[in-house]
Amino acid sequence: MRTTVIAALCLLGVGCGGGQKTSAKSDESAVVGPPQVAWKDMTKKQKQTYMKKVVIPTMQPLFAAYDKDEFSTITCLTCHGDGATDSTFEMPNPEIMPLPATPEGFQALMAEKPKAVEFMAKQVKPAMAKLLGEPEFDPAHPEAGGFGCMECHTTAK
Ligand code: HEC
Ligand code: HEC
């Protein structure tokens, strides 16, 4: 009986994890993020802290393993561009290589930069999706949505 009530409250979004959320909101410097607090419900300050304390430390070793010379130290600018210095950036980031708009274009890109595409598709995209608590975009099922390449890259014209 008791568990049923608790489960019902959880479904309604109250009474489970609620206390945690309140304390997360009142302490802006604490590291909070998915899955405890959904990305979309986080404040800008919380997102910045999460990026710094969780995203960078998770992504740094992946990028360094891919190319230790170019990515020995990744920063906010690596993904967000120059606008990250004063928080004026927008995503997707026009400063990184725009990606093709068509499947043919993607085929050509895969032939041209196989190592980069594989790193992005097999490591960066899944790791970032997980960090944001979102499902991964699957080109075979675009209608399902999810986190994909175009969250970071603009589309080539
Ligand atoms: C590995 C790539 C990566 C790095 C490095 C990175 N971010 Fe992000 N960040 C993202 C992505 C992807 C999003 C967009 C998530 C989404 O779809 O809403 C994002 C979103 C944000 C947002 C929310 C923007 C908005 O409009 O809601 C802020 C703030 C932010 N990042 C700050 C930072 C800061 C500060 C740093 C450095 C400490 C940083 N990021 C480093 C990938 C990165
Ligand atoms: C979390 C953000 C993010 C996501 C998601 C992402 N990328 Fe990237 N991508 C980057 C960053 C950052 C770089 C490095 C930019 C640089 O050169 O400094 C990059 C580089 C690349 C490059 C190499 C570009 C060059 O100049 O040689 C290719 C190709 C690429 N990405 C393709 C993809 C593809 C395809 C996907 C989806 C499977 C994808 N990316 C997903 C952030 C992202």
Side-chain angles (χ1 to χ4, degrees), residues 47-145:
K47 287 179 176 177
Q48 287 168 333
T49 305
Y50 184 72
M51 287 276 152
K52 194 167 155 195
K53 303 276 187 191
V54 184
V55 174
I56 296 258
T58 306
M59 301 305 272
Q60 174 64 72
L62 303 183
F63 274 88
Y66 166 68
D67 186 336
K68 67 170 167 29
D69 297 323
E70 198 175 347
F71 299 115
S72 59
T73 313
I74 63 163
T75 67
C76 315
L77 278 71
T78 308
C79 291
H80 295 306
D82 290 339
T85 48
D86 56 3
S87 255
T88 55
F89 68 84
E90 277 180 25
M91 291 299 271
N93 172 8
E95 291 171 37
I96 58 177
M97 185 196 226
L99 298 180
T102 61
E104 297 74 33
F106 254 88
Q107 293 288 327
L109 179 68
M110 276 154 78
E112 197 189 324
K113 294 181 180 284
K115 207 175 152 240
V117 173
E118 187 182 335
F119 168 57
M120 288 287 146
K122 299 229 171 101
Q123 300 202 50
V124 175
K125 182 172 75 128
M128 194 74 222
K130 202 168 163 223
L131 285 163
L132 297 171
E134 287 177 26
E136 264 186 79
F137 178 81
D138 175 358
H141 298 282
E143 73 287 351

